[in-house]
């Protein structure tokens, strides 16, 4: 097994955890670590219960996601599958799915953790959180709002 990113997508379609597990399967893998980030019904900054999140992806977000995954996996014996949603998500929907296969569990966990932390700081995707009070707030890179004409919730569904 060598370093390989087998899947890196930004998609409007629901994310499939099983497809990520299948993508990283390898005879040399003794461990697969997964992370599923899902929409929750609460946030310390929300005035009420969170109703939904709307993710806005920069047109190059998928390329950036692949670059992040490649950088994190570099020189490590891992296979990585990672996807991030765009569009409107309800409470309970998966927003991010990561699967990392490696010969041993410690490496799988390490790469999985590093990947989600880097996605949170570097991926050009913003989210608008809407709560039951009617309040909404944009969050993302630097907590800036997405570019008015540069962002898109229409991502590939590959």
């Amino acid at each position: 097994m060598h370093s390989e990113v087998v899947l890196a997508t930004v998609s409007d379609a629901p994310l499939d955890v099983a497809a990520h597990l299948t993508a990283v399967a390898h005879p040399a893998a003794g461990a697969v670590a997964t992370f599923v980030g899902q929409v929750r019904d609460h946030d310390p900054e929300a005035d009420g219960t969170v109703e939904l999140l709307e993710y806005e992806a920069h047109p190059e977000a998928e390329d950036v996601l692949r670059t992040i995954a490649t950088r994190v996996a570099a020189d490590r014996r891992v296979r990585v599958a990672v996807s991030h949603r765009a569009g409107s998500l309800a409470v309970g929907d998966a927003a991010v799915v990561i699967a990392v296969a490696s010969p041993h569990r410690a490496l799988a966990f390490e790469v999985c953790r590093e990947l989600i932390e880097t996605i949170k700081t570097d991926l050009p995707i913003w989210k608008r959180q809407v709560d039951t009070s009617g309040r909404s707030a944009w969050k993302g890179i630097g907590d800036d709002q997405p570019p008015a004409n540069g962002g898109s919730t229409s991502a590939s569904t590959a």
Side-chain angles (χ1 to χ4, degrees):
M1 177 184 290
H2 62 280
S3 172
E4 185 176 8
V5 176
V6 295
L7 177 69
T9 63
V10 174
S11 175
D12 291 335
L15 304 180
D16 182 349
V17 176
H20 287 71
L21 293 172
T22 299
V24 299
H26 191 279
V32 177
T34 60
F35 173 82
V36 179
Q38 62 186 27
V39 179
R40 62 179 181 239
D41 68 355
H42 64 282
D43 185 285
E45 298 176 18
D47 289 336
T49 302
V50 174
E51 285 189 324
L52 63 95
L53 296 180
E54 293 175 344
Y55 284 96
E56 181 97 7
H58 185 279
E60 296 174 4
E62 190 167 276
D63 293 337
V64 173
L65 182 60
R66 180 167 291 281
T67 299
I68 291 168
T70 300
R71 187 174 64 233
V72 170
D75 300 320
R76 294 168 159 167
R77 294 183 60 204
V78 295
R79 288 171 58 89
V80 174
V82 57
S83 297
H84 200 298
R85 279 288 304 271
S88 185
L89 283 71
V91 171
D93 287 348
V96 179
V97 173
I98 301 170
V100 178
S102 71
H104 303 284
R105 70 180 176 272
L107 181 58
F109 281 122
E110 178 184 323
V111 170
C112 193
R113 174 72 184 253
E114 187 176 336
L115 185 52
I116 189 56
E117 297 302 337
T118 306
I119 286 169
K120 294 291 286 181
T121 59
D122 295 1
L123 187 64
I125 292 182
W126 296 264
K127 68 180 177 184
R128 185 170 80 91
Q129 179 173 281
V130 179
D131 64 39
T132 55
S133 74
R135 181 175 173 256
S136 68
W138 284 101
K139 297 180 177 193
I141 298 175
D143 287 335
D144 291 331
Q145 289 193 10
N149 296 321
S152 171
T153 56
S154 298
S156 74
T157 55

